[in-house]
Amino acid sequence: MTDPKGDRSLPPHKQPDPDQFMHVVEERKDGIVVRGAKAHQTGAVNSHEIIVMPTISMREEDKDYAISFALPSDAEGITYIMGRQSCDTRKLEGGTMDQGNLLFGGHEALVVFDDVFVPWDRVFMYREYEFSRQLVEQFAAYHRQSYACKVGVGDVMIGAAQTAAEYNGVEKASHIRDKIVEMNHLNETLYCGCIACASEGHKEPSGTYCVNILLANVHKHNVTRFPYEISRLAQDIAGGLMVTLPSEKDLQSPETAKWLKKYFKANPDIPTEHRMHILRLIENLTLGTAATNYLTESMHGAGSPQAQRIMISRRINMQEKQRAAKRLCGIE
Amino acid sequence: MTDPKGDRSLPPHKQPDPDQFMHVVEERKDGIVVRGAKAHQTGAVNSHEIIVMPTISMREEDKDYAISFALPSDAEGITYIMGRQSCDTRKLEGGTMDQGNLLFGGHEALVVFDDVFVPWDRVFMYREYEFSRQLVEQFAAYHRQSYACKVGVGDVMIGAAQTAAEYNGVEKASHIRDKIVEMNHLNETLYCGCIACASEGHKEPSGTYCVNILLANVHKHNVTRFPYEISRLAQDIAGGLMVTLPSEKDLQSPETAKWLKKYFKANPDIPTEHRMHILRLIENLTLGTAATNYLTESMHGAGSPQAQRIMISRRINMQEKQRAAKRLCGIE
Amino acid sequence: MTDPKGDRSLPPHKQPDPDQFMHVVEERKDGIVVRGAKAHQTGAVNSHEIIVMPTISMREEDKDYAISFALPSDAEGITYIMGRQSCDTRKLEGGTMDQGNLLFGGHEALVVFDDVFVPWDRVFMYREYEFSRQLVEQFAAYHRQSYACKVGVGDVMIGAAQTAAEYNGVEKASHIRDKIVEMNHLNETLYCGCIACASEGHKEPSGTYCVNILLANVHKHNVTRFPYEISRLAQDIAGGLMVTLPSEKDLQSPETAKWLKKYFKANPDIPTEHRMHILRLIENLTLGTAATNYLTESMHGAGSPQAQRIMISRRINMQEKQRAAKRLCGIE
Amino acid sequence: MTDPKGDRSLPPHKQPDPDQFMHVVEERKDGIVVRGAKAHQTGAVNSHEIIVMPTISMREEDKDYAISFALPSDAEGITYIMGRQSCDTRKLEGGTMDQGNLLFGGHEALVVFDDVFVPWDRVFMYREYEFSRQLVEQFAAYHRQSYACKVGVGDVMIGAAQTAAEYNGVEKASHIRDKIVEMNHLNETLYCGCIACASEGHKEPSGTYCVNILLANVHKHNVTRFPYEISRLAQDIAGGLMVTLPSEKDLQSPETAKWLKKYFKANPDIPTEHRMHILRLIENLTLGTAATNYLTESMHGAGSPQAQRIMISRRINMQEKQRAAKRLCGIE
């Protein structure tokens, strides 16, 4: 969905480089030819299909930009340029510790469409600029509801923090317990948001269901805040060792292994390696590859915070609130 | 529900004054005689019936305190002692401005039961101490869900702040608009909480529905925080005049009325009196009679913040979160 | 200093009512005649002298408004109209409990100047509009530094909260102790602000000292936030009884006194009256007459939050920060 | 200063492994032999001398652990084991972009003392356990004052965020300007803290100056919070591109360079490379090598947050605050 956007003060048709928004460059009998790019595409390379939509509401002058279509990911003319993530090369180092999360990861890509042909039966919107706003707002609302996923990452963060506290031998300290409660409280508040906007959704005439757009924006807006505080609390609980741990290779070196095993032992029932593993996971979630998703992508994915604030101000029924206030204090 | 509790470090049966928790003092053939008091009873005087429940979980030694019953509000032996509220006597001053909210109000009372007889058919729990914890936790969860009501007060606060901004002539300033968005965002986050704990509820074998207890506590916990910030933002928008406005009587005095009407005029289309009315409403909501409900009662009603934190820590599935974290970083 | 300002989108000389900013209406041989008003004047009635200054920076067209002078408080033509405060009439009820603070209080007034004569030797600025901005900014900085006073109120709030906790019998609970620490932390952070802007001040050529203007604004800006959180924490610690306490008169009534003394007893070593006194003080500070000063006046006194934000953005050396950033990442 | 500490519930002399705190293992005529380790030593490898101090207050049973001394960094028996930092290996990749900060960096090390000899003239404390608490508290206060340094990092962060906003073409948006003000406000509040605790310091009988210990702890405690919020705001302003930028190598590849230069162009006056450079700096500061110092080390360096809270509660004069509160409400 996200076009590069170029000069943000200009609409698509006024951009010095017309390709800053995806657009039609040729109409053929059997389809259209498109040019442009989509940035920040999470999971692009492991998807079978790429679905393209406009990224902003448009006017008539922008109608060449009001297009939506789908293509197989390997369609001719599409190039994927992978983004880097913090600590990405740790995955290439071998070993089972320093990458933090041994099982999963993700990626984002810039997807370039260099005069790509789309047959008519894969074109969903074609110059119907008058629907672009509705499409953008509704899709964004669904997308914002789906930030439910960060609650799952929050669960892992909380589990890791609790485990680190136990391995550090401090899990019974009242301030540690209180911070764990706070992390849970914030994480479950996010959960409430995604449940509420789904639960308050409605059936469209088409038969699909649409989330409550106001609440979906409210939910996502909290996602731009709480993961940062949850992450801060996890770093508080983990302790400074999380960022001063030597390399896994030092743990294998005969010269240094003995010192690390000796001096990083805290809870006598827990192998030092376990403590290092869990701290590397918290590092991964708060500073490493997963932090790019849990933090920065929570901020900007599915729309940056200001986008949600604009939607909240549009969707609130302010007249009703003012009417109630005036009535109570005797105005009119 | 709320007993006075006396010395908070002691259970009911160890209190120096046994009446600090409601208890049975006599069992008769046709019913029981109870003694004690219930504090902070919102709306007690305008209720037809008083339903009494235990306020904490109990052990066998406390079984005389494990009682629940209902009585007509005017049953013999019950005394109501009304609580004061900030600015309560403004209602007695006459006029239509200084009391802020002209239409509604509330009250709390200490309800004293001085050897009151309860016939058996109004007794719901009698010495069944083993169910007191379940009763307290479940009722508290329902009660915490019902703090949905503060969202309605928040609506009034937001409507009043927007109106004050218009009357002050500053409603288009970007920082004012941003603060209105923030107030709405916080208020709708509360709304999400009460919807979510209801939506995630379940049907009990009895046929009634029970809210999700974890989420009800999460919701109420936010209610102990956000109204304070919403109130702070409302005071920011209202301006200092809210606390330096002269009395309504000065507006009627021939000596001072002309000055007030002249110098408190801001938006030329709005009568000065309207501006004063809306500021008095915000004063009422943030410092006056309604503030006791919107702020302090949001804090302590249906359980103080720490009560919710304890419930959150009990209801979270920490093992599952730790299992996920350990698996991801390769422990075990 | 604070003029009523009328229509806030207009400068003084364009106001429909020219008196919305204090101005000269006549120049005489021996002095000038002024007209206008000053709003929100703290302590006006117990001051011996009134010093008047412009409230905003001005251009040439506004030169009649660029005036500063001093007068005895009882000069002919000055009228004081007192503002109300939350719970103000409790001071008239008699008794020693419900007013909270038995010893001190304050007030604000609208001060109206109805064609008041000022002799030349009391005129400090006269149509020198080009200095009005400097005068406003420098005076505001001094004034913002002086919000050190709220740290003293914070001390009382913390002392009251700790005492309430002891009287409630909960002072050793870890969450209570933690909240007391947080209140102190916030209050001392405010103290740091007022010390720092004084300590970083400089000697003016005239021999007087001027505070650091940036830091004075930073300090005052925190004062618009932290007292609200300190107040919220005090209400958390105080408990709900703070807003449900019956009147002092009920404590004297033979019918109700026995119930209040019995059921509001918590810590066995403390008379119930003591507990009621301290809760009434916290009510006074968070909802009553003192709250108008500790909260709302912390927000708007010496300039509303947005005024400080504008000054912070003006006084920051952004070029230096950008130069450092660019150098570190190799730009240029 | 920081010993590994082993089982945190036990004092030094009860640790299963006695080396978890630095201690004397032999007393010789010409000096002492010490064993133990110091963790998290910032800049250890580029220091000429290592000064060792106890890390906690001690009792008589721990007197072998109450030692302080200095040694050349390369004294025999000392081993340095370097810690990893997020994104550390980017420095080995070559290039001038992906490492973010081209000029500076830091490190932490575990410093192991394996039976190291210290001559008497380098021993400053030897078994004088009764002074360990004073030494720890006073040194910690100095150290906490020195967290002034994070204000400098904050300056770079703010400069980088402002530059990124300009390069993105959004620096005039009101919400961007407001976030820049907020970053400055928080950063200058930290500055106030370090100035205040120095300014309120006092001259010791020895002639040295000591900072105000209470305020130094208050200052450091804010350092455990505000950098996280400043960092969050920087990520908000930077935009999602910060974590989806391809590698610098893709910018040099003939196949991809053209797409990156084309599609990551925003402000037409700024080369795409400049935009990438500044985003890599913000990545470095919020997720990379510098984040370990600006965030996690702000949390735990010079003592974790709870250490400051304990000191705040010890150093506050609570009696004075309670006396004031009681006097005002008429208790006694």
Coordinates of all heavy atoms in Angstrom, one line a residue, chain A residues 52-79:
Chain A
V52 N -1.9 -4.7 -4.6 CA -1.5 -3.3 -4.6 C -2.7 -2.4 -4.5 O -3.7 -2.7 -5.1 CB -0.7 -3.0 -5.9 CG1 -0.6 -1.4 -6.1 CG2 0.7 -3.6 -5.9
M53 N -2.6 -1.4 -3.6 CA -3.7 -0.5 -3.4 C -3.2 0.9 -3.4 O -2.0 1.1 -3.1 CB -4.4 -0.8 -2.1 CG -5.1 -2.1 -2.0 SD -5.6 -2.5 -0.3 CE -6.7 -1.1 0.0
P54 N -4.1 1.9 -3.6 CA -3.6 3.3 -3.4 C -3.3 3.6 -1.9 O -3.9 2.9 -1.1 CB -4.7 4.1 -3.9 CG -5.9 3.2 -4.2 CD -5.5 1.8 -4.0
T55 N -2.5 4.6 -1.7 CA -2.1 4.8 -0.3 C -2.7 6.1 0.3 O -2.6 6.3 1.5 CB -0.5 4.9 -0.3 OG1 -0.1 4.9 1.1 CG2 0.0 6.2 -0.9
I56 N -3.4 6.9 -0.6 CA -4.0 8.1 -0.1 C -5.3 8.3 -0.9 O -5.6 7.7 -1.9 CB -3.2 9.4 -0.2 CG1 -2.7 9.5 -1.7 CG2 -2.0 9.4 0.7 CD1 -2.0 10.9 -2.0
S57 N -6.2 9.2 -0.3 CA -7.4 9.6 -1.1 C -7.0 10.5 -2.2 O -6.0 11.2 -2.1 CB -8.4 10.3 -0.2 OG -7.9 11.4 0.3
M58 N -7.7 10.4 -3.3 CA -7.3 11.1 -4.6 C -8.4 11.9 -5.2 O -9.6 11.7 -4.9 CB -6.8 10.1 -5.6 CG -5.5 9.5 -5.1 SD -4.9 8.1 -6.1 CE -3.4 7.7 -5.3
R59 N -8.0 12.9 -6.0 CA -9.0 13.7 -6.8 C -8.9 13.3 -8.2 O -8.0 12.5 -8.6 CB -8.6 15.2 -6.6 CG -8.6 15.6 -5.1 CD -9.0 17.0 -4.9 NE -9.1 17.2 -3.5 CZ -8.8 18.4 -3.0 NH1 -8.5 19.4 -3.8 NH2 -8.8 18.6 -1.7
E60 N -9.7 14.0 -9.0 CA -9.8 13.5 -10.4 C -8.4 13.6 -11.2 O -8.1 12.7 -12.0 CB -10.8 14.4 -11.2 CG -11.0 13.9 -12.6 CD -12.3 14.4 -13.3 OE1 -13.0 15.2 -12.7 OE2 -12.6 13.9 -14.4
E61 N -7.7 14.7 -10.9 CA -6.4 14.8 -11.5 C -5.4 13.7 -11.3 O -4.5 13.5 -12.0 CB -5.7 16.1 -11.1 CG -6.4 17.4 -11.3 CD -7.4 17.7 -10.1 OE1 -7.8 16.8 -9.4 OE2 -7.7 18.9 -10.0
D62 N -5.7 12.9 -10.2 CA -4.8 11.8 -9.8 C -5.4 10.5 -10.3 O -4.9 9.4 -9.9 CB -4.7 11.8 -8.3 CG -4.0 13.0 -7.7 OD1 -3.0 13.5 -8.3 OD2 -4.4 13.5 -6.7
K63 N -6.3 10.5 -11.3 CA -7.0 9.2 -11.5 C -6.1 8.1 -12.0 O -6.4 7.0 -11.8 CB -8.2 9.4 -12.4 CG -8.0 9.9 -13.8 CD -9.4 10.1 -14.5 CE -9.1 10.7 -15.8 NZ -10.4 11.1 -16.5
D64 N -5.0 8.5 -12.7 CA -4.1 7.4 -13.2 C -3.4 6.7 -12.0 O -2.8 5.7 -12.2 CB -3.0 8.1 -14.0 CG -3.5 8.4 -15.4 OD1 -4.6 7.9 -15.8 OD2 -2.8 9.1 -16.2
Y65 N -3.5 7.3 -10.8 CA -2.9 6.7 -9.6 C -3.9 5.9 -8.8 O -3.5 5.3 -7.9 CB -2.3 7.9 -8.8 CG -1.2 8.6 -9.5 CD1 -1.5 9.7 -10.3 CD2 0.1 8.3 -9.3 CE1 -0.5 10.4 -11.0 CE2 1.2 9.0 -9.9 CZ 0.8 10.0 -10.8 OH 1.8 10.7 -11.4
A66 N -5.2 6.0 -9.2 CA -6.2 5.3 -8.5 C -6.3 3.9 -9.0 O -7.3 3.6 -9.7 CB -7.5 6.1 -8.5
I67 N -5.4 3.0 -8.6 CA -5.4 1.7 -9.2 C -5.1 0.7 -8.1 O -4.4 0.9 -7.1 CB -4.3 1.5 -10.3 CG1 -3.0 2.0 -9.8 CG2 -4.8 2.2 -11.6 CD1 -1.9 1.6 -10.8
S68 N -5.8 -0.5 -8.3 CA -5.6 -1.6 -7.4 C -5.6 -2.9 -8.2 O -6.4 -3.0 -9.1 CB -6.7 -1.6 -6.3 OG -6.5 -2.8 -5.5
F69 N -4.6 -3.8 -7.8 CA -4.5 -5.0 -8.6 C -3.7 -6.0 -7.8 O -3.2 -5.7 -6.8 CB -3.8 -4.7 -10.0 CG -2.4 -4.1 -9.8 CD1 -1.3 -4.9 -9.6 CD2 -2.3 -2.7 -9.8 CE1 0.0 -4.3 -9.5 CE2 -1.0 -2.2 -9.7 CZ 0.1 -3.0 -9.5
A70 N -3.7 -7.3 -8.3 CA -2.9 -8.3 -7.7 C -2.1 -9.0 -8.8 O -2.4 -9.1 -10.0 CB -3.8 -9.3 -7.1
L71 N -0.9 -9.5 -8.3 CA 0.0 -10.2 -9.3 C 0.7 -11.3 -8.5 O 0.9 -11.2 -7.3 CB 1.1 -9.2 -9.8 CG 0.7 -8.3 -10.9 CD1 1.8 -7.3 -11.2 CD2 0.3 -9.0 -12.2
P72 N 1.1 -12.4 -9.2 CA 2.0 -13.3 -8.6 C 3.3 -12.6 -8.2 O 3.7 -11.6 -8.9 CB 2.3 -14.3 -9.6 CG 1.3 -14.1 -10.7 CD 0.8 -12.7 -10.6
S73 N 3.9 -13.0 -7.1 CA 5.1 -12.2 -6.6 C 6.2 -12.2 -7.6 O 7.1 -11.3 -7.5 CB 5.6 -12.9 -5.3 OG 4.5 -13.1 -4.4
D74 N 6.3 -13.2 -8.4 CA 7.4 -13.3 -9.3 C 7.1 -12.8 -10.8 O 7.7 -13.2 -11.7 CB 8.0 -14.8 -9.4 CG 6.9 -15.8 -9.8 OD1 5.7 -15.4 -10.0 OD2 7.2 -16.9 -9.9
A75 N 6.1 -12.0 -10.8 CA 5.7 -11.4 -12.2 C 6.9 -10.6 -12.7 O 7.7 -10.0 -12.0 CB 4.5 -10.5 -12.0
E76 N 6.9 -10.6 -14.0 CA 8.1 -10.0 -14.7 C 8.1 -8.5 -14.4 O 7.0 -7.8 -14.5 CB 8.0 -10.3 -16.2 CG 9.4 -10.0 -16.8 CD 9.4 -10.5 -18.3 OE1 8.7 -11.4 -18.6 OE2 10.3 -9.9 -19.0
G77 N 9.2 -8.0 -14.1 CA 9.4 -6.5 -13.9 C 9.3 -6.1 -12.5 O 9.5 -4.9 -12.2
I78 N 9.0 -7.1 -11.6 CA 9.0 -6.7 -10.1 C 10.4 -7.1 -9.5 O 11.0 -8.1 -9.7 CB 8.0 -7.5 -9.4 CG1 6.6 -7.3 -9.9 CG2 8.0 -7.1 -7.9 CD1 5.4 -8.0 -9.2
T79 N 11.0 -6.1 -8.8 CA 12.2 -6.3 -8.1 C 12.0 -6.1 -6.6 O 11.4 -5.1 -6.2 CB 13.3 -5.3 -8.6 OG1 13.4 -5.4 -10.0 CG2 14.6 -5.5 -7.9

